[in-house]
Structures are given as structure tokens and as C-alpha cells.
Amino acid sequence: MNRVVSALLCLCGLSACHADTSAALVDLGDPSTAIHLQSSHVQSAAASESVQGIGSLRRYTFQPAAQPQLIVTPAQGTWDWSARGELHLQVQNAMGWAVTLNVDLDDARGGHLHATVGLPAGPAQTLVIPLHAESPRSEGMQVGPPMPFDGRVGAPGQLKLLATTVQGVLDLHQVSAIRLGMPAPGAAQTLLFGRIEGVAGEATLHDAYAGIVDRYGQFTRGHWPEKIDSDAALRTAHAQERTALAVHASQQQGADAYGGRLDVSLQKTGWFHTQKSSGRWWLVTPDGHGFFSLGVNAVAADGERTYVEGREFMFKDLPPASGEWTPFYGSADSRRPEQGASQGIGYDHGRWFDFYAANLYRVVGKDWLAAWRTRAIDRLQGWGFNTVGNWSDPALGQAHRLPYTRSINIAGDYANVASGYDYWGRMPDPFDPRFVQATDRAVTQTSNDVHDDPYLLGYFADNELAWAGIGPQGRWGLAIGTLSGDAKSPAKQAFIATLKKKYVDAIKLGNAWNLPLSSWDMLQAPGFVPPHPDEAHPAIANDYSAWLRQYADTYFRVVADAISRHDPHHLFLGGRFAVNTPEAVAACAQYADVVSFNVYADLPQHGFDAAVMQQLDKPVLISEFHFGSDDRGPFGKGVVSVWNEQQRGEAYARFIAAAASDPDIVGAHWFQYVDQPVTGRLLDGENSHIGLVGITDIPFAGFVDAVRKANRAVNH
């Protein structure tokens, strides 16, 4: 159904006259104003309704369709919003559930601004849309605070809902249309709309983000069982947890010194190793017992810092940067210019504060770090974990109460290659001699003080390297990136050498790849565009696949050789795959003792090709997984989200049970120990509730109980 309502009565406000400066623009509660109102698959009520504190609103019902929408345009010309920083829309969701509303703004030159907002059920409120691209990332975090928020407590009609993610560019001097729509509703959805106003200034985000963090690093507007409101309450909560932990520790069943299962006897070598027995892969402790590694990543007291410089308005009662609080302040720079502005995040350098460490200090005073280390190991053991995972405090492993892993970070001034998925940076070029040297240095430094330690489970190399690109052709990203790279790139020279060996003549390569090649120099010319594989020219995919395997073989061989030279006793645990290719996985299986995958899915088998791993006959370690929700403070729900805290525990139990029942999986490591800061971690602004403990170091009791039961079901 299409319907057009046109009215030419002049509305006092920002009208089609183009130069008006007052706030009112459109009143959808009374559409008989100086606008054209066109609707597609939207029905409007015949009369408006009076809403206290708001004024007149009118019902608009969006029918099931691909994109039902209202389109508002000026009666003449365009609107001039150059003096406005925000658009305010009076709206109420008449449904009993949240409804998605798309707000699109167009200008006469083809510019476009897009905002998507989840309208909660409830009273009428003011939807606020910044008239420029905006997102939580510009405020230093990946996910913004929940909306709506009270713009002025106790004042009717002051409930505000902020569109925190706005994309695009709009010429505010000549705005031509406002479009209000929904993405394909499955049933009729009714909203009430009123006035649309242009508002000067750009203080909206400041209002929405002001005072969102209390002195303990908690979200001020939320409520949950573990939230504390005083130092006394903080100390009491920790005392109660110590009592409960002592009870659980006394209930632990027998295991060998390394946490190995006494009922699974295998070869004893004095070091951790792998062994397949009766069709099942095992990690094996130095004492010769089967070991299913249940670990936690990032068990550290100093990993959850957040930037405060420039956004002090977000924090209530931030301690002074002097006196006893000085150790909890510092400076950093997390900018990564090589990734480009699109990957940037606001508030990514400057002064930071460590709420987590400050809370540990509040509990026990100056000896907080030693107390935390003891408590962390007590907790891990009491909760059924047997491994200290990656990026954890080295002192935890040195305590020799739990096995631990080490991370080899291969940093250096060597060449790199783009694959198309370069979030953490471009791929290292393993053909560059400087990479070989950097690897040797990194392995030397990492293994220097642990190569004789039987509690060391093994080494991971790097993390989530960009082995593949994005999209249907992503598998070939590293091959295409190699040939598109600098002519002096060692990897490109190696790839061309491989092609020369196979084809001898460049013309033959051109025929196979359907390219007009007359000489090998054309591959080195600036702007050379490698072809994408297609069914008509299978040689492209075959050659790319061979190159991907050669590339991965070289990388993993260099790392494996360095580990073997400097520490022949311990395991090479792989490269913690996020994106991968069959060629990279096969190469890792050849050179590493274990193939590790960071799996963000509901079940471990959904994160890697189980059939391929069975064929490769190599053990698998899930080096990262988690489930998050947004009901305990931080705004993000993690990579794999559930609705609430109870479902986090249920999801954990399902995942661990599925991992333990798989004969190829030898362990799974949770990411991570502590919740991320409300306002985002230093590295990239991640701010999700994915921890075993909160920013106050208080465990999430229900979740931890579910974790303990799931872990004990696996190892006992």
C-alpha cells in the first residue's frame, strides 16, 4: 500500500524556506504541516493522542514487507540544518517488545546518514540522532552504554534514547528527506511519532556517557548481585568468597602433581607430551598421566586498564593521580596507524587508570599483588581448572601449583604481506631472513627461564595471524596479497620463483591464468592485479593453494626449528588460529605438536574442520572460547553472546562437555579471567562481560558454580 499526504501549511520552524533557525522541523503527531509525507506499507491513525510531558503523538503501523517506511520531505526545496548538531524525534514503542527502527537522512547531493536504533517497550521518549557519523568507538569503547537514559531525572518526557552508532556523511546545508523504516518486520509493528526537531550543539554523547563509571570501575546505572557500593562491602564480599573457596578446595579429588588423571596411565617422560591411546589423543603429564587441559587466559592483575585522559567526565570519583593512587595510573599509546583510520578508535592514547588493581589494593593494602596471586591459583584449582593460559602473570606458573603456557611474540623489523584480514596487522613474511632472526630472538627470550621447567605445558606462536582474507575469495587472500605486494618483497620473489620453476615461460603462465603475460617482469610491475580463481581456469586455484602451503610450511618450520634448538623438551602448541586455510592447518599439523584454534562458537566442533583434523591425525587444543552477556556491568556481550548470566553457565557446560567427548580435542582455555573495563581496554576498546570475576575481583557466583561442576565432570 502506498499513500501520499501533502500539506502546504507553513510550520513555524526549520522549513523548506531553507534559512529558518528555530528548532521545530516536522510534527508527525500532526502531519498537516509544511511537509510531504509519503508512506510505503505504513498505516497511520486518523487522530493523534496526547501523551503527558510529550504532547501529541500519532500511531503509525508498519506492515510486514521488505522495507516499510515513512518518507518526510520539505514542501519546497531543502532544509538547512547547518546550525544543528542533533535531530530529536519524539517516539513511543507501542509493542510489548523491542522494535528496530532505521532512521535515514538524505541530502540533495546524494549524501546519506544512517542510524539503527533498538526501541525498547515502555513510555514515550526522545530519540536523539547526532547529525554526523558517530559510534561508541569514537568514545573509546566497542559497545556503548544501554539506552534509554534519563536526560533529567523526574522530568516527564525527558527519557532519552541515543542513537550511538551513526554512519555516513550528510550535507547539512541541503537536507532533502527523513526516512523512518523497519527491516522486514514479520508482523505489524506500531510506533507513535511526534515532533522532529533540530537542536544546536553536540553535547548528546557527553550527556549519555557522563558519569557511567563509579569509583570501583562499575557501571553506575546498572544493578547486579555482585555489585558493591563501599570499601567495607568490597572487603566483606572477598571474605565470604574465601570461606566458600576453602570448602571447594577441600572437596578436590586426587590427581598427580601436575593435575593429571590417575586413572589414565600413559608413557612417562618427565615432560609434557602428546600420546594417542585407544583412538584418543591426550596431553600427558611428566608423571605419565592423561591430562585434559582446562585453562584460563589472561590471568593477570594488570591487564584491564582503561584510558581516562580526555574523558574524565565519564568517571565518578576518579582517585587523584598522586599519593597512594599513583601506582595505578600510567600512560600508553594504542594507536596502530598501519591499519588506517577505519580501524581507529577514539581515546586510544594518553593517561590510563587501573580500576582492577586499585580494587585489589582496597581489599588488602600494599601487599595486594602477592595476595592476589595466591587467591588466583586457589580459585583456579577450586573451580576445576588445571592450566594457567596465555598472557598470564608469569609468577603463577613459577609457583608450580598448575601447569602453564608461554606465548612467543615474534616482533621485529621484517617484511609483511596483506591478506585482506589484517585486524591485528599484516602477515609476517617468513621468507625474509630478518623474520628468521626475529623468531630465534623471540624463542630465546621466551624460553630462557623456563626450558627446564616440567610445569611448562608448551609454547604458542603469535596469535590469530591473518592466514586468510574476507569473503568468498578469502581463502586466496594471502596469495593475492603476495603477488600484489612490493616487488622487493621476499615472499613475492619466492612465489615468482616457484611459478618460474613450474611454467618456465611467462606466456604459459598467462595461458593457464588467462592473463596477457609476455614476460615475468609484468608480475613485478606496479599495479599488477592477480586474478581470482574461477572454474574455467583451475590452474589459478591450484597454484595459489600450493603457494599457501609453501608459505605456511616456511612459517611453521622456522618456528618449530627455533623451539627445537632452544627448548627440545616442550611442546609447540601451534599458532592459535582464528581465520585459517586448509593449507595453513595442514602445515601447522606437520610442524607443531598440537594444532590450536580460537573458537568463538556455541560448540568447539563449529570452529574447525573436525574431519580434516581426524585425517591429519593431530591433537586439537581450543586456545580461546567464551560466552558473554550484558547483565553484569560491561556493555559488550563478547564474541558469542547469550541473554543472561545463567545462560553463560549453561553454554560453558555444553561447550566443555562437547570438547571432552571429542577424541581429538585435548583441552579448552577460557578467555578471560577478568571482565573487560566498562569504558574499554587499552588495546582496542573491547568492553565485554566475559570474565570469571568482575572489575572488583568478586567472582560471578552462579557462573563460577556452573564452571566448577562442568570442569569436575570432565576430569573426575
Side-chain angles (χ1 to χ4, degrees):
M1 179 186 70
N2 290 280
R3 180 169 59 88
V4 178
V5 178
S6 297
L8 301 179
L9 299 177
C10 183
L11 172 70
C12 184
L14 286 178
S15 71
C17 300
H18 194 81
D20 294 339
T21 58
S22 56
L25 170 64
V26 173
D27 191 349
L28 294 179
D30 177 16
S32 59
T33 55
I35 58 169
H36 290 293
L37 177 61
Q38 179 179 347
S39 65
S40 174
H41 301 284
V42 181
Q43 292 178 326
S44 67
S48 299
E49 304 174 22
S50 179
V51 178
Q52 182 181 9
I54 287 285
S56 294
L57 300 181
R58 183 166 298 197
R59 291 177 180 265
Y60 292 85
T61 300
F62 292 73
Q63 302 294 337
Q67 192 174 5
Q69 63 178 340
L70 290 171
I71 305 174
V72 184
T73 56
Q76 300 177 26
T78 59
W79 289 301
D80 183 355
W81 298 353
S82 57
R84 308 301 173 195
E86 306 163 4
L87 196 68
H88 289 194
L89 167 62
Q90 295 171 337
V91 62
Q92 182 174 5
N93 178 6
M95 312 307 295
W97 50 83
V99 172
T100 299
L101 175 67
N102 291 332
V103 181
D104 293 275
L105 307 174
D106 302 324
D107 66 36
R109 294 185 176 182
H112 181 73
L113 208 63
H114 172 77
T116 298
V117 184
L119 294 177
Q125 55 200 288
T126 300
L127 171 59
V128 182
I129 303 170
L131 293 176
H132 55 275
E134 192 62 86
S135 77
R137 294 187 66 86
S138 66
E139 300 303 305
M141 60 198 80
Q142 292 196 2
V143 182
M147 297 292 160
F149 70 98
D150 287 313
R152 195 164 62 239
V153 177
Q158 291 299 315
L159 198 64
K160 292 183 179 179
L161 178 66
L162 174 65
T164 56
T165 301
V166 182
Q167 300 172 319
V169 178
L170 190 71
D171 183 352
L172 296 179
H173 290 88
Q174 42 186 333
V175 179
S176 58
I178 305 168
R179 291 183 285 128
L180 307 175
M182 288 186 185
Q189 309 288 325
T190 298
L191 304 179
L192 286 78
F193 293 121
R195 291 165 61 87
I196 301 177
E197 300 176 335
V199 177
E202 298 179 1
T204 300
L205 285 180
H206 188 285
D207 293 343
Y209 287 75
I212 58 176
V213 181
D214 68 13
R215 68 191 300 260
Y216 302 102
Q218 304 169 122
F219 179 43
T220 54
R221 302 174 194 156
H223 302 281
W224 58 94
E226 297 84 6
K227 189 175 183 180
I228 59 98
D229 58 7
S230 68
D231 289 4
L234 180 64
R235 288 189 286 268
T236 297
H238 276 275
Q240 293 172 343
E241 191 248 342
R242 285 195 295 273
T243 301
L245 192 61
V247 173
H248 293 303
S250 67
Q251 297 173 347
Q252 294 184 52
Q253 299 182 18
D256 72 15
Y258 304 93
R261 290 178 51 165
L262 297 179
D263 62 328
V264 183
S265 296
L266 300 166
Q267 183 181 6
K268 179 179 179 179
T269 67
W271 309 99
F272 272 101
H273 59 283
T274 62
Q275 183 177 338
K276 195 171 188 180
S277 175
S278 301
R280 179 178 183 84
W281 277 105
W282 288 97
L283 294 169
V284 185
T285 68
D287 284 346
H289 296 112
F291 182 85
F292 188 85
S293 180
L294 292 168
V296 181
N297 288 290
V299 188
D302 61 352
E304 301 312 316
R305 299 159 173 168
T306 191
Y307 287 112
V308 296
E309 183 174 340
R311 54 176 184 170
E312 288 86 355
F313 67 93
M314 296 185 187
F315 304 93
K316 285 188 173 181
D317 302 321
L318 194 64
S322 60
E324 62 179 331
W325 302 107
T326 300
F328 306 107
Y329 281 94
S331 296
D333 191 334
S334 305
R335 290 173 290 185
R336 291 179 282 162
E338 74 280 359
Q339 291 186 320
S342 63
Q343 293 289 345
I345 189 165
Y347 301 104
D348 53 6
H349 63 286
R351 187 164 54 96
W352 51 256
F353 184 71
D354 191 334
F355 283 100
Y356 182 63
N359 288 330
L360 299 175
Y361 170 75
R362 288 185 174 106
V363 175
V364 298
K366 65 178 182 180
D367 295 326
W368 62 268
L369 182 55
W372 173 86
R373 286 169 171 162
T374 299
R375 182 166 63 250
I377 299 178
D378 288 345
R379 284 172 170 174
L380 293 179
Q381 289 184 318
W383 298 340
F385 292 104
N386 57 20
T387 307
V388 179
N390 238 32
W391 307 300
S392 296
D393 185 343
L396 302 181
Q398 293 167 3
H400 284 185
R401 291 178 57 187
L402 290 174
Y404 62 97
T405 67
R406 278 284 176 102
S407 177
I408 301 170
N409 180 30
I410 307 173
D413 184 22
Y414 47 75
N416 53 64
V417 177
S419 72
Y421 179 81
D422 307 313
Y423 182 83
W424 294 119
R426 292 155 62 105
M427 280 290 291
D429 184 342
F431 300 91
D432 189 338
R434 294 173 297 178
F435 174 79
V436 178
Q437 296 166 2
T439 302
D440 195 77
R441 287 194 304 270
V443 172
T444 299
Q445 294 168 359
T446 304
S447 65
N448 184 53
D449 61 339
V450 297
H451 55 76
D452 290 328
D453 188 353
Y455 275 84
L456 175 62
L457 180 61
Y459 302 96
F460 293 106
D462 289 322
N463 180 62
E464 297 187 344
L465 292 181
W467 290 103
I470 300 172
Q473 296 280 356
R475 175 179 176 179
W476 316 112
L478 191 54
I480 293 172
T482 301
L483 287 179
S484 301
D486 189 291
K488 296 180 180 179
S489 160
K492 184 169 185 175
Q493 293 302 312
F495 194 178
I496 293 174
T498 299
L499 295 173
K500 286 182 177 179
K501 184 177 181 180
K502 176 179 179 179
Y503 289 99
V504 181
D505 190 336
I507 295 177
K508 292 182 179 179
L509 172 64
N511 291 336
W513 284 14
N514 193 33
L515 292 177
L517 293 180
S518 58
S519 72
W520 293 107
D521 290 341
M522 295 180 68
L523 296 178
Q524 309 247 33
F528 172 72
V529 179
H532 285 87
D534 57 45
E535 294 182 0
H537 305 90
I540 303 173
N542 292 337
D543 292 338
Y544 282 4
S545 179
W547 169 248
L548 295 178
R549 181 59 192 266
Q550 183 180 348
Y551 197 111
D553 276 344
T554 304
Y555 171 87
F556 285 109
R557 184 177 62 249
V558 168
V559 176
D561 287 349
I563 293 175
S564 180
R565 283 194 305 274
H566 296 288
D567 185 356
H569 303 309
H570 291 109
L571 296 172
F572 178 14
L573 300 174
R576 306 174 69 90
F577 285 119
V579 295
N580 63 72
T581 64
E583 296 83 4
V585 171
C588 182
Q590 178 175 343
Y591 292 100
D593 300 291
V594 175
V595 180
S596 53
F597 295 90
N598 291 352
V599 175
Y600 287 101
D602 56 341
L603 293 173
Q605 293 81 3
H606 295 169
F608 66 94
D609 193 324
V612 167
M613 291 311 303
Q614 290 175 359
Q615 294 173 359
L616 293 172
D617 198 23
K618 209 75 172 185
V620 171
L621 177 64
I622 308 302
S623 39
E624 285 184 26
F625 77 103
H626 72 216
F627 302 97
S629 61
D630 60 359
D631 54 350
R632 290 298 186 272
F635 312 138
K637 301 173 72 171
V639 182
V640 184
S641 62
V642 294
W643 284 109
N644 55 41
E645 189 73 355
Q646 178 180 337
Q647 290 184 355
R648 282 217 305 154
E650 295 167 353
Y652 181 94
R654 283 193 301 269
F655 192 99
I656 287 297
S661 65
D662 192 314
D664 292 323
I665 296 179
V666 294
H669 293 183
W670 176 263
F671 186 89
Q672 58 184 25
Y673 184 69
V674 188
D675 262 357
Q676 295 173 327
V678 167
T679 46
R681 66 181 184 180
L682 300 186
L683 181 63
D684 55 6
E686 281 190 9
N687 59 333
S688 288
H689 166 47
I690 52 176
L692 293 157
V693 305
I695 199 71
T696 56
D697 197 42
I698 296 173
F700 298 108
F703 178 57
V704 166
D705 285 343
V707 166
R708 180 190 301 108
K709 293 175 183 177
N711 288 348
R712 288 186 173 174
V714 168
N715 273 332
H716 298 286

